Amino acid sequence: MKLNLTKRTLAFLLSLSMLGSVFAAPVWANDGSYDEDIEAPVIEQDFSTASLEMTVGETVDVNDYLYYTADSYDWDYDSSAVSVKKGVITAKSDGYTAVTATHEYQVVAFKIGIEGREESRTEYVSVTVGVGGEEGLGQYLELGASNYSWSSDNSSIASVTSGGLLTGKSKGSTKVYANRTKGTSFVFNVTVEGGGSSRTSEKSLTFYVGDIDYLSSYVGNDVSDYRWTSSNSSVAEISSVGKINALKAGNATIKATPYDVSTEYVFYITVKDNGSSAEKQNITMYVDDTKDLSGYVSGSARNYDWTSDDKSIATVSGSGVVTAKKKGTVKIYVYESNITNEKYVFTVTVKSSSPSSSSSSADEKYTIYMGRDDSVDISDYIAKSASSYDWETSDRDVCKISGSKLKAVDSGSATIKAYGSRNYQFNVKVNKNYSNYAVSVKVDGTLDLEKYLDNAVSKYDISYYSTSIARVKNGELVGQKKGMTYVIFENKNTNEVVQLMVEVSGTAAVKEKATEATTQQKVTEAPVEKPPVSNGPSFNDISHRQWAVAAINNMAARGFINGRSSTVFAPDDQCSKADFTIVLTKMIGIENDDYTGGFDDVSSDKYYAKYVNVARYRGICAGITGNNFKPQTPITREEVMYMVYKGLELKGRNLDTDASALGAYNDASKISSEYKEAVAALLNEGIVSGVSATEIDPTATITRAQMAVLLNNIGI
């Protein structure tokens, strides 16, 4: 039985401990002095109930109902009826029961009805494969294949693995069983047809010693539909997914033999020796890193022949991607086709460990679903050109990177990382049931989803990278503001996953927006972020963040913060640098100060322009790159601490900047050097503390609710 639970955005990257004790601040009197007699606001305990329908043996994750981590609650339940571990409830016996989760600030009571297990029954399915062909039978089951015991009547005709993978062995018919003690079992009536090849496709290819490439682009179907063999593996190796590795000069014939009736592919491979006066370049890499050298050569990298003089240290592909294997120094030679002298020579020094991979976390993370042989351009998701970054991939047999394009090779998962001024991580998932499309939509425009999905939109679980840029409404994709995002549609019944890489562009219809002076002005371009309004604190979307209600209402009543509208505050949205700057400058009292100059990426017509430019002029801005502020990006904890520190300085507060306070935190090295003094000062003053006793988590972002509580508690 599938139970649909309401999802909540639990964006507690600063955690409640940061907002309560982490950003626990003394209460300050109006003159800025500390008054021990003034009590901090009392946070009331929130109580809620939820009803669950379960089946014996079923598990339900109820963490989405909790404001805080499951381990911070006291759990009360009947152990004969259910068990509870880390917020996951498991039904043990039928009947009715209750589970209560109690926290200092929240109580949730779950009323649970449990049904008995389903009675045993059998379903029959007919399946046809070719000799040597394979098919996963898990697609026909109600549960995962590992929940069944598998057997075949005649394994000489068709065999089956414990994971439900059927393989045709010889022509004939047999039965394959997927059995369960209770519930539904399956009997597969299997017909194995004779294999063979109706025609042959031949191609001649030339490689150089050390080259690695993939032959998947030459075959007509999925690479896993073929059996790959090499006539001379000492010259050219071939993997089960069509990856060729040129080992030494010579000739070899590689065949892609289909498992079912289809075309056989034959590749006549010639491997040449390395060809000297050339352009030289020194490169430093780390073991297991990859680096794309195509940006160092003129024209297309594919117009050259690439080779490594020691492939045990580093190999290079035909597109100029070097993979570091072990510590040492190697030369990468680049030849123009049919010319024996080198055009370029790269001296690559491979070191044992990468400082970037060991100490730098990703500033931005993305999830990319791809079908095998799909290609996805990620240039719009990184700040600079691909050649500006050092790239690495966890598994090139699953996905490789060429320039700014991800290329899916075979089923599995891989992590692609880009190290530079800003670090990126792409978590890539490849499967034949996955699809990826690049689409575009105008602001306030819609996109019909029918041609991208096999079923109705209602059949899918939908997740987003950013709902503020685009989201699904009434079965259509709606552009909400300019930007790049992605939307993932997952049909758990069919294992289908469709990902849309969405670009929202264009202009919206002329709209009215309220300025800080409550005057009306016309805007023709859709704002990247809705401006604040000042119609008074009557927000109807903050009750589920009880710990923040008093702070939000107080800050709104004082005119320091505004909602997205008169009734919507959006407490769980990430706080942008622009929003934080507006509130801070108002609290400091400098919002109407004169200023000169401004940021290149802050146009004068933006609602936040004067606040950001005043803050820049008074020296309290954080996260500046060149003369750009990136006002719409989420603000990080270290940037928050720096701006609060500079604001307190501007108000005449003398703070203790002794950096020894940082020694208590394991991740202090991750704090940017320009922010360390500020972080130390706020720690010493007790204004902030780490997210735990040993971690500061300087690059985590904060929500709008957390921003309100922080600044309300500090009392500038």
Side-chain angles (χ1 to χ4, degrees):
M1 180 183 72
K2 180 178 178 183
L3 182 65
N4 293 319
L5 301 179
T6 301
K7 296 291 183 183
R8 296 190 182 187
T9 306
L10 298 177
F12 282 83
L13 296 176
L14 293 178
S15 79
L16 177 69
S17 62
M18 186 186 80
L19 294 172
S21 61
V22 174
F23 279 117
V27 180
W28 299 93
N30 291 334
D31 61 0
S33 62
Y34 176 55
D35 189 342
E36 294 182 350
D37 295 329
I38 300 178
E39 294 185 359
V42 175
I43 301 176
E44 296 182 358
Q45 193 175 54
D46 181 39
F47 179 82
S48 61
T49 61
S51 297
L52 305 177
E53 295 295 332
M54 301 177 67
T55 302
V56 173
E58 182 180 5
T59 62
V60 174
D61 188 335
V62 298
N63 280 281
D64 283 350
Y65 288 94
L66 309 179
Y67 295 161
Y68 318 106
T69 59
D71 290 343
S72 64
Y73 289 77
D74 290 329
W75 294 86
D76 184 22
Y77 55 91
D78 181 356
S79 60
S80 66
V82 297
S83 63
V84 181
K85 185 176 182 181
K86 295 187 179 299
V88 177
I89 299 175
T90 301
K92 298 171 66 175
S93 61
D94 58 355
Y96 294 91
T97 188
V99 173
T100 304
T102 303
H103 187 279
E104 182 180 1
Y105 302 124
Q106 184 194 24
V107 177
V108 185
F110 300 95
K111 296 182 291 183
I112 304 174
I114 304 174
E115 296 179 353
R117 293 181 185 270
E118 181 184 0
E119 294 301 319
S120 300
R121 61 190 181 91
T122 302
E123 289 191 7
Y124 296 85
V125 180
S126 296
V127 178
T128 301
V129 296
V131 174
E134 295 179 342
E135 183 166 358
L137 300 181
Q139 60 184 304
Y140 301 100
L141 307 177
E142 296 179 344
L143 302 174
S146 60
N147 292 291
Y148 297 80
S149 59
W150 295 86
S151 62
S152 171
D153 267 352
N154 191 337
S155 58
S156 66
I157 294 176
S159 64
V160 65
T161 69
S162 59
L165 179 62
L166 175 73
T167 301
K169 296 294 188 179
S170 62
K171 188 174 180 179
S173 299
T174 188
K175 294 182 183 296
V176 168
Y177 303 93
N179 290 321
R180 292 180 64 206
T181 303
K182 291 186 178 181
T184 304
S185 295
F186 290 81
V187 175
F188 296 90
N189 296 311
V190 179
T191 300
V192 181
E193 297 179 342
S197 180
S198 60
R199 63 188 182 91
T200 300
S201 176
E202 299 179 341
K203 190 171 186 64
S204 297
L205 298 172
T206 299
F207 297 94
Y208 284 79
V209 173
D211 279 355
I212 293 177
D213 208 338
Y214 293 80
L215 302 182
S216 55
S217 60
Y218 297 103
V219 300
N221 298 303
D222 196 306
V223 291
S224 63
D225 291 337
Y226 298 86
R227 181 173 66 256
W228 296 83
T229 58
S230 172
S231 65
N232 192 340
S233 295
S234 65
V235 172
E237 288 181 335
I238 191 72
S239 76
S240 61
V241 293
K243 181 178 75 172
I244 184 173
N245 186 0
L247 300 176
K248 70 177 184 180
N251 297 294
T253 300
I254 290 177
K255 290 184 178 181
T257 304
Y259 288 121
D260 206 346
V261 177
S262 185
T263 303
E264 179 180 58
Y265 293 85
V266 179
F267 302 92
Y268 301 105
I269 306 299
T270 299
V271 180
K272 295 182 178 181
D273 269 325
N274 306 332
S276 257
S277 169
E279 295 183 35
K280 295 178 172 60
Q281 186 80 236
N282 294 323
I283 304 291
T284 299
M285 297 178 65
Y286 300 88
V287 173
D288 295 330
D289 277 357
T290 62
K291 187 170 183 64
D292 189 348
L293 301 183
S294 61
Y296 295 91
V297 301
S298 60
S300 171
R302 287 287 185 182
N303 293 333
Y304 298 89
D305 299 322
W306 299 75
T307 187
S308 165
D309 72 350
D310 192 339
K311 62 182 179 59
S312 68
I313 296 175
T315 59
V316 64
S317 74
S319 59
V321 177
V322 176
T323 302
K325 299 293 187 180
K326 69 177 184 180
K327 185 177 180 180
T329 300
V330 62
K331 291 187 183 296
I332 304 296
Y333 297 98
V334 186
Y335 302 90
E336 292 183 281
S337 297
N338 302 319
I339 299 177
T340 58
N341 293 332
E342 306 96 346
K343 177 70 173 177
Y344 303 92
V345 176
F346 298 91
T347 300
V348 179
T349 300
V350 179
K351 297 184 177 181
S352 58
S353 62
S354 168
S356 61
S357 60
S358 61
S359 64
S360 296
S361 60
D363 297 301
E364 295 184 38
K365 295 181 180 180
Y366 302 95
T367 299
I368 308 293
Y369 287 88
M370 304 172 69
R372 287 188 292 213
D373 292 330
D374 270 1
S375 180
V376 175
D377 191 334
I378 57 173
S379 58
D380 289 324
Y381 293 84
I382 55 180
K384 299 180 180 180
S385 65
S387 60
S388 302
Y389 298 88
D390 291 327
W391 294 86
E392 68 176 39
T393 177
S394 64
D395 193 340
R396 287 177 55 79
D397 286 342
V398 172
C399 183
K400 61 181 180 178
I401 179 78
S402 178
S404 63
K405 290 187 177 181
L406 299 178
K407 174 66 175 177
V409 179
D410 195 21
S411 294
S413 299
T415 302
I416 310 293
K417 295 182 179 181
Y419 297 107
S421 56
R422 190 169 181 80
N423 300 329
Y424 298 87
Q425 178 173 314
F426 298 89
N427 299 317
V428 180
K429 302 178 186 297
V430 181
N431 189 285
K432 66 180 180 180
N433 293 324
Y434 300 162
S435 302
N436 193 300
Y437 302 97
V439 301
S440 61
V441 63
K442 299 287 188 180
V443 172
D444 291 333
T446 60
L447 180 71
D448 186 356
L449 297 171
E450 285 188 1
K451 64 180 180 180
Y452 301 103
L453 306 177
D454 290 343
N455 297 280
V457 178
S458 60
K459 300 292 185 181
Y460 296 83
D461 292 335
I462 304 174
S463 57
Y464 305 84
Y465 177 70
S466 173
T467 56
S468 65
I469 295 175
R471 68 176 302 127
V472 175
K473 296 179 181 178
N474 299 321
E476 295 181 315
L477 182 69
V478 180
Q480 307 214 122
K481 70 177 183 181
K482 292 200 297 184
M484 299 295 300
T485 187
Y486 56 75
V487 185
I488 298 170
F489 302 82
E490 184 175 5
N491 189 329
K492 293 182 179 178
N493 292 326
T494 63
N495 296 323
E496 176 196 6
V497 174
V498 177
Q499 181 168 5
L500 302 184
M501 313 296 288
V502 184
E503 178 184 14
V504 180
S505 60
T507 56
V510 175
K511 294 182 178 180
E512 300 264 308
K513 72 172 185 180
T515 66
E516 287 298 317
T518 68
T519 58
Q520 298 296 316
Q521 64 181 24
K522 300 290 186 180
V523 290
T524 57
E525 182 176 280
V528 177
E529 184 174 330
K530 292 183 179 180
V533 297
S534 51
N535 293 339
S538 56
F539 306 123
N540 60 17
D541 66 335
I542 61 176
S543 61
H544 68 292
R545 295 289 176 254
Q546 195 62 40
W547 47 267
V549 169
I552 293 171
N553 288 334
N554 181 52
M555 295 287 283
R558 297 170 67 188
F560 291 149
I561 62 175
N562 296 279
R564 303 297 194 202
S565 72
S566 60
T567 59
V568 176
F569 181 70
D572 298 326
D573 283 4
Q574 288 187 316
C575 180
S576 69
K577 292 168 67 178
D579 278 358
F580 190 88
T581 305
I582 290 173
V583 180
L584 187 61
T585 53
K586 286 182 178 181
M587 294 186 72
I588 296 172
I590 63 172
E591 73 271 25
N592 294 316
D593 285 7
D594 293 331
Y595 64 89
T596 59
F599 289 109
D600 293 341
D601 59 350
V602 178
S603 57
S604 60
D605 62 340
K606 298 298 184 184
Y607 72 88
Y608 50 76
K610 74 170 184 177
Y611 305 97
V612 169
N613 289 330
V614 165
R616 175 188 181 277
Y617 183 68
R618 299 303 297 268
I620 65 172
C621 284
I624 300 172
T625 303
N627 196 40
N628 291 316
F629 185 54
K630 294 187 177 180
Q632 302 295 352
T633 60
I635 194 166
T636 65
R637 277 172 50 82
E638 64 179 7
E639 290 168 347
V640 165
M641 296 179 204
Y642 178 85
M643 292 185 68
V644 170
Y645 169 70
K646 299 302 287 186
L648 292 173
E649 272 195 335
L650 202 60
K651 295 290 288 183
R653 293 268 292 273
N654 293 320
L655 304 177
D656 178 10
T657 59
D658 182 5
S660 62
L662 302 179
Y665 300 95
N666 297 333
D667 59 350
S669 61
K670 296 182 179 180
I671 304 171
S672 301
S673 58
E674 65 267 32
Y675 301 143
K676 286 189 174 180
E677 182 179 90
V679 175
L682 268 61
L683 288 170
N684 292 332
E685 295 291 322
I687 296 173
V688 300
S689 65
V691 297
S692 71
T694 58
E695 291 187 339
I696 295 175
D697 203 8
T699 60
T701 56
I702 69 171
T703 65
R704 285 169 53 83
Q706 291 166 342
M707 174 268 291
V709 173
L710 161 65
L711 292 179
N712 185 67
N713 287 349
I714 289 175
I716 296 178

